[in-house]
Amino acid sequence: MNDTDNLQSMPALPMRGIVIFPRMILHFDVGRDKSVNALKAAANGARKIFLVAQRDAMVIEPAINDVYKIGVIAEVRQMLKTPENATRVLVEGLCKAKLISFDAAEPYLRCTVSPVNPSPRFSALSESEEAALVRMLTDTFKKYCSLAPKMPNELYQTILTEKNIDKLFDGIVFNIYLKPDDKQKLLEINGSKKRIERLLAILESEIGIMELEINIHEQVRDSLEKNQREYYMREQMRILSRQLGERDDPQEEFYAYADEIEAAGFDRETEEKLIREAEKLVKFSPSSQEAGVVRAYLDAVLEMPWKTFTKEKIDMEKAQKQLDRDHYGLKEVKERILELFAVRALKPDVKGQIICLAGPPGVGKTSVGQSIAKSLGRKYARISLGGVRDEAEIRGHRKTYIGAMPGRIVNALKQAKSMNPVILFDEIDKMSNDYKGDPSSAMLEVLDSEQNAAFVDHYLEIPLDLSRVLFIATANNTDEVPPPLLDRMEVIELGSYTRAEKYNIARKHLIPKQLKKHGLGASNLKITGDAVYALIDFYTKEAGVRKLERKIAALCRKAAKEIVGGRKPDDAKKPDEKITVAAKDLEKYLGVKKHLPEHLPDRDEVGVVNGLAWTSVGGVIMPLEAAVMDGTGKIEITGSLGEVMKESSKIAVSLARSLSDRYGIDPEFYKNKDIHIHAPEGAVPKNGPSAGVAMVTALISALSGIAVRRDVAMTGEITLHGKVLAIGGLKEKTMAAYKAGIKTVLIPKENEPYISELDETVRNSLRFITAEKIDTVLETALVGRGCHRRRKIAEDAEKMIDGLGFRIGEPPAFNDGAIPQKVKQPR
């Protein structure tokens, strides 16, 4: 028989989360208007309605594709209104039917269905098969009921005593909770055996899930009971100890530590580790050494500011004012720091910004770090690394050793009382190493933003997140920092202060600071401007301002002595006299001048060249002298020169031989002349390749007898073919040239891009000449440059003219920079 042979039209009601079976009596509430209208139409008609489950219970207006194809034709038994204004209905399932079509045009859903004729229920089952299925279903149901929430006993017994497999199936399916999808599958299956097998599979799956839920519940309950039992027993022991009047009770101490550990909010693994450490206190005697080690460890851990973070307050205008207030000059440094702040304002959780402030002593590297912390509103901690040679200073000692303690990183965090402070590593280039380890290797992890999120101190043995810490390092010489460590930092150079900068720093910062420190005021002591300049020029020689500050402090002490020494007992209430210190008074207070200014020579000299050198306190003028005497070709090198400078002197001799014909030098000078190269201030060691061009120039001058211009200074490495190579420390060297009154500075061509980074005063005061070859250096530095080359050309011309029979007049005269005089016409 086809589905179209027995079609029926009736109201339809889509069910949300409910599946009804034939012979099942069910009551439920209806809220949707179309569903209520469908029930009313069925009640007013043949009382039949098609109940079908929705595929998705969230669909409000279901279409034919939103419901299953198989449902149940039911009879409406009763309808009533609830106090909540919903419609409650009682229905009984009659038979299974297949949905053919939907019609939503009426005020309710109307459908066309075809009843599904059930196949003979027991035609495929023998008595033994039916008995086996009944037994299996009964046993499985018993096991299910033993795990599921309690079912009414009468209903339970009724189902178990049922021997009819059809009624047994209905009794189980109607009265246990199954998922709507599972119920729908059972409804759609034809044939008793298949339905029973499907129901058995569903029950076995539910039994497995419930057993797993019970096991999990029992584990949680056992854990809670154990914790409650331990807590109860500990409280009992605590009260007993208190009543017995015991002092230094290990139990009491353990409970105190346990409470602090639980309140600290550690992760589970760390908390269990610390609780185990605290439990050792119960086993040890309170006065034992082991108990002291455990207490020291727990105290060190609990003193850490684990959950404390400082909130950043980035205000660019305020930061600019803070930097300007704390430091004069340092324009490039301030610009880079403000760029750092701007990035942090846009991305607060940015990582990997580790700065190294490099420069000579006393230029304000450490104070710049303090200003950064103030501008960000963060806590500040300083770690001095000068002389550190033990890795344990950074990572800490193992707590098993007597006298063990955490490393300096942990102590800095404790000092700052925050987990995101600004930490300054001072003098990072002064670290060394020995048999105990290399601290610079330990610093590699600290300063690596990819690794320091889980930094482990050997003493604490708990991971520390250092990724939120802003690290700043300072160094005098980055060449002393290991390359892998330097690679992790962005180097910002702080150069030497100019004379004008030192003056302004003294007037705005140093003098007010020292006056306040010595109990003086502007009404007691006045240091004039010319006195400040005299202090800078004649009493200090440094790149920074530390010595200048000490000299100002000395003037304050002298003034304080005069003021207090000149008082009489009756003059205590009279105002103190004002002391004015001018430049002419400095010898009275500070003694004779300690440093004389670097003056240029009074005249151009042969064999004397102004070289430029870099030192840890800034740049200096380094004169180089060369002398030539009759001899046997010996070369003397003096002035505490290092191996690199000695090699440069040998290169200079070889290059001078190759240039001998250009400058009228005896080509056999290396056989019949002795050469002596000297760098004054022999007590000061000197090294480096940047004096190469100066050595060549001095040697050419000495051999040719041509003087070197006194107002020219030079720096650059030289090669055997006369190429001038790049050098370092250009900023410091040019500053020294500016202070000495040099007018022209010769630098390598490769260093030309760095001229724009020099101080504006230096750039405007000096004339820079860049050189790729030694020819440019010699033509610029030698007096009457070019004249000897022209003389050689004239001599060659004379020889050629004499060979042709011409008569030559007096030899031409040569002046500084002049060309040969006119040659007379031949006869």
Side-chain angles (χ1 to χ4, degrees):
M1 183 181 293
N2 297 327
D3 292 340
T4 59
D5 294 343
N6 191 19
L7 296 179
Q8 299 180 26
S9 178
M10 62 184 70
L13 195 158
M15 310 278 281
R16 293 193 287 186
I18 300 175
V19 178
I20 190 170
F21 287 82
R23 300 180 302 280
M24 184 176 184
I25 298 174
L26 181 68
H27 64 82
F28 55 89
D29 294 341
V30 179
R32 290 182 287 190
D33 293 340
K34 283 192 175 184
S35 299
V36 173
N37 292 335
L39 285 170
K40 289 179 179 179
N44 294 331
R47 305 190 72 83
K48 288 185 179 180
I49 190 168
F50 181 65
L51 303 178
V52 61
Q54 289 185 198
R55 297 181 185 274
D56 184 359
M58 303 304 294
V59 177
I60 303 300
E61 297 288 342
I64 190 168
N65 293 327
D66 295 322
V67 296
Y68 291 100
K69 296 297 182 183
I70 302 297
V72 171
I73 298 173
E75 181 184 357
V76 179
R77 291 281 192 89
Q78 185 182 13
M79 287 178 58
L80 55 88
K81 281 284 187 180
T82 64
E84 293 81 13
N85 202 27
T87 300
R88 182 164 296 174
V89 61
L90 179 68
V91 297
E92 179 183 3
L94 299 179
C95 66
K96 195 162 50 169
K98 183 177 181 181
L99 177 64
I100 302 300
S101 65
F102 249 166
D103 183 8
E106 300 187 35
Y108 58 88
L109 292 174
R110 193 168 185 84
C111 66
T112 302
V113 298
S114 174
V116 177
N117 294 323
S119 59
R121 294 179 181 174
F122 305 106
S123 59
L125 294 175
S126 64
E127 290 184 4
S128 58
E129 283 180 327
E130 182 179 351
L133 288 174
V134 169
R135 184 178 298 176
M136 289 176 64
L137 191 56
T138 303
D139 292 342
T140 306
F141 179 67
K142 282 182 181 179
K143 188 173 182 181
Y144 176 85
C145 290
S146 66
L147 299 173
K150 282 221 167 187
M151 182 181 291
N153 190 50
E154 292 180 1
L155 180 60
Y156 175 67
Q157 294 298 332
T158 301
I159 295 173
L160 289 182
T161 57
E162 184 59 61
K163 300 302 181 184
N164 183 288
I165 193 166
D166 184 42
K167 292 182 179 179
L168 178 60
F169 175 85
D170 290 347
I172 293 174
V173 172
F174 294 175
N175 293 289
I176 66 173
Y177 172 77
L178 295 176
K179 291 184 289 185
D181 291 344
D182 292 336
K183 283 190 174 184
Q184 182 65 31
K185 290 176 183 176
L186 290 172
L187 176 65
E188 293 176 356
I189 294 174
N190 289 323
S192 297
K193 185 176 180 181
K194 290 184 179 180
R195 288 198 303 165
I196 296 300
E197 289 174 349
R198 181 66 183 174
L199 179 59
L200 285 170
I202 293 172
L203 290 176
E204 289 291 348
S205 175
E206 289 293 324
I207 288 169
I209 293 172
M210 287 190 291
E211 285 179 343
L212 184 59
E213 287 178 350
I214 290 171
N215 288 336
I216 294 173
H217 176 72
E218 287 179 352
Q219 290 175 6
V220 173
R221 185 185 61 194
D222 292 344
S223 177
L224 290 174
E225 288 178 354
K226 179 183 177 183
N227 292 337
Q228 290 174 352
R229 186 169 58 253
E230 289 180 356
Y231 176 77
Y232 178 71
M233 294 174 65
R234 286 171 182 167
E235 285 296 322
Q236 282 185 322
M237 295 175 67
R238 183 186 300 186
I239 293 171
L240 288 172
S241 299
R242 192 178 299 158
Q243 289 180 349
L244 292 172
E246 294 181 356
R247 297 181 180 180
D248 297 330
D249 178 25
Q251 290 286 345
E252 188 76 23
E253 190 175 23
F254 164 72
Y255 295 131
Y257 277 120
D259 291 342
E260 289 188 52
I261 292 168
E262 292 172 0
F266 294 108
D267 59 86
R268 182 178 177 183
E269 183 179 349
T270 303
E271 184 173 320
E272 290 177 354
K273 168 184 168 61
L274 295 176
I275 290 292
R276 287 196 300 270
E277 287 291 329
E279 286 175 348
K280 295 178 182 178
L281 293 172
V282 181
K283 303 175 184 177
F284 298 144
S285 169
S287 58
S288 67
Q289 193 172 20
E290 291 83 359
V293 171
V294 173
R295 287 191 200 97
Y297 171 71
L298 293 174
D299 289 340
V301 172
L302 295 173
E303 286 173 2
M304 289 289 294
W306 295 104
K307 301 296 180 181
T308 305
F309 295 93
T310 305
K311 186 177 180 181
E312 281 188 352
K313 300 175 183 177
I314 299 178
D315 184 335
M316 298 297 289
E317 185 177 351
K318 180 181 177 183
Q320 179 75 62
K321 291 180 180 178
Q322 180 74 45
L323 292 171
D324 290 339
R325 183 166 56 249
D326 293 345
H327 302 87
Y328 181 86
L330 303 179
K331 181 179 178 181
E332 294 179 7
V333 177
K334 292 177 183 177
E335 187 67 25
R336 178 62 187 87
I337 292 170
L338 291 175
E339 291 171 4
L340 170 70
F341 290 173
V343 173
R344 299 193 72 87
L346 295 175
K347 188 174 175 59
D349 59 342
V350 65
K351 298 178 181 179
Q353 294 182 311
I354 299 169
I355 295 173
C356 178
L357 303 174
V363 295
K365 300 184 296 294
T366 304
S367 58
V368 166
Q370 293 175 329
S371 297
I372 291 174
K374 289 179 185 177
S375 301
L376 289 175
R378 288 199 188 189
K379 299 295 183 65
Y380 170 80
R382 174 179 167 272
I383 299 176
S384 177
L385 297 178
V388 172
R389 62 180 63 192
D390 187 356
E391 180 192 2
E393 293 280 343
I394 307 299
R395 290 186 178 274
H397 304 78
R398 301 286 181 186
K399 67 176 182 293
T400 52
Y401 298 113
I402 301 299
M405 61 182 69
R408 297 197 179 194
I409 306 293
V410 172
N411 289 330
L413 294 174
K414 286 184 187 178
Q415 174 190 342
K417 298 180 181 179
S418 171
M419 291 299 286
N420 64 335
V422 174
I423 293 183
L424 179 78
F425 290 118
D426 209 6
E427 310 292 354
I428 198 170
D429 57 328
K430 303 299 190 300
M431 288 189 297
S432 57
N433 57 72
D434 60 8
Y435 67 93
K436 295 180 181 178
D438 185 1
S440 63
S441 299
M443 291 294 292
L444 293 177
E445 180 184 1
V446 176
L447 297 182
D448 192 333
S449 57
E450 299 297 327
Q451 302 180 37
N452 61 12
F455 173 77
V456 178
D457 184 272
H458 287 165
Y459 185 80
L460 297 186
E461 296 179 343
I462 298 174
L464 291 171
D465 185 2
L466 301 181
S467 62
R468 299 188 184 184
V469 178
L470 177 58
F471 290 108
I472 300 173
T474 69
N476 295 132
N477 185 6
T478 53
D479 293 338
E480 301 294 331
V481 181
L485 187 58
L486 188 64
D487 184 58
R488 285 162 165 77
M489 302 182 289
E490 180 181 353
V491 178
I492 300 177
E493 297 282 351
L494 280 76
S496 305
Y497 287 125
T498 64
R499 185 170 180 260
E501 285 176 336
K502 289 183 179 181
Y503 174 81
N504 282 283
I505 292 171
R507 300 294 295 179
K508 295 180 180 180
H509 298 280
L510 304 183
I511 293 176
K513 176 183 174 182
Q514 292 301 325
L515 288 177
K516 182 178 179 181
K517 186 177 179 179
H518 290 82
L520 300 170
S523 59
N524 302 120
L525 175 63
K526 178 184 177 182
I527 302 177
T528 62
D530 61 339
V532 175
Y533 277 120
L535 285 173
I536 295 168
D537 294 336
F538 306 124
Y539 290 88
T540 62
K541 187 178 183 181
E542 58 178 344
V545 292
R546 283 183 182 158
K547 292 181 180 178
L548 178 59
E549 185 175 9
R550 285 197 287 270
K551 294 301 179 183
I552 293 172
L555 289 177
C556 291
R557 290 194 300 273
K558 301 288 186 182
K561 181 182 176 184
E562 280 193 18
I563 292 171
V564 176
R567 282 182 182 173
K568 295 181 180 179
D570 298 337
D571 296 340
K573 294 184 179 180
K574 292 182 180 180
D576 295 320
E577 63 174 310
K578 184 173 184 177
I579 298 176
T580 301
V581 178
K584 58 183 177 60
D585 303 317
L586 290 180
E587 290 195 14
K588 169 186 172 185
Y589 292 108
L590 301 178
V592 297
K593 296 176 181 177
K594 305 297 187 294
H595 303 283
L596 297 177
E598 291 180 323
H599 291 298
L600 297 179
D602 297 332
R603 57 189 176 83
D604 301 331
E605 297 183 58
V606 173
V608 179
V609 176
N610 294 319
L612 295 172
W614 179 92
T615 70
S616 60
V617 295
V620 294
I621 296 291
M622 183 180 71
L624 279 173
E625 301 174 347
V628 178
M629 296 78 66
D630 292 334
T632 59
K634 295 180 181 178
I635 300 175
E636 287 289 338
I637 303 169
T638 56
S640 297
L641 304 187
E643 290 299 321
V644 177
M645 288 192 73
K646 290 179 181 178
E647 291 178 359
S648 296
S649 66
K650 294 176 182 178
I651 294 173
V653 173
S654 298
L655 190 56
R657 290 177 61 186
S658 67
L659 298 174
S660 60
D661 60 334
R662 299 188 191 180
Y663 295 94
I665 299 173
D666 181 6
E668 302 293 324
F669 74 87
Y670 66 95
K671 295 180 181 179
N672 52 34
K673 300 289 184 182
D674 287 346
I675 299 172
H676 190 159
I677 299 174
H678 175 67
E681 297 187 17
V684 180
K686 309 168 190 72
N687 206 0
S690 63
V693 294
M695 285 187 175
V696 173
T697 304
L699 197 55
I700 293 291
S701 171
L703 289 169
S704 66
I706 305 173
V708 180
R709 289 173 53 187
R710 64 190 183 90
D711 61 344
V712 172
M714 61 190 69
T715 179
E717 183 179 353
I718 196 70
T719 69
L720 273 175
H721 293 279
K723 292 182 180 180
V724 181
L725 303 183
I727 48 86
L730 182 65
K731 187 173 183 180
E732 288 78 8
K733 292 177 180 179
T734 53
M735 179 69 69
Y738 162 74
K739 291 178 180 178
I742 297 291
K743 301 301 180 184
T744 303
V745 176
L746 284 156
I747 64 172
K749 180 73 174 178
E750 295 177 10
N751 287 103
E752 186 175 5
Y754 300 100
I755 295 177
S756 61
E757 298 180 2
L758 301 179
D759 185 89
E760 185 177 357
T761 305
V762 175
R763 285 202 313 268
N764 296 335
S765 302
L766 297 177
R767 172 179 171 236
F768 291 92
I769 296 178
T770 58
E772 286 186 277
K773 300 282 288 184
I774 192 64
D775 299 342
T776 306
V777 177
L778 296 174
E779 289 180 9
T780 303
L782 295 178
V783 175
R785 59 187 181 277
C787 63
H788 290 274
R789 180 169 56 84
R790 296 186 183 97
R791 186 189 298 276
K792 179 65 175 174
I793 293 172
E795 289 176 353
D796 292 342
E798 276 189 50
K799 291 178 181 178
M800 181 182 68
I801 292 170
D802 287 341
L804 295 173
F806 289 97
R807 182 173 60 82
I808 305 298
E810 294 297 324
F814 289 88
N815 299 316
D816 183 10
I819 60 173
Q821 293 179 1
K822 182 176 68 176
V823 181
K824 293 183 179 181
Q825 296 296 324
R827 61 176 180 265

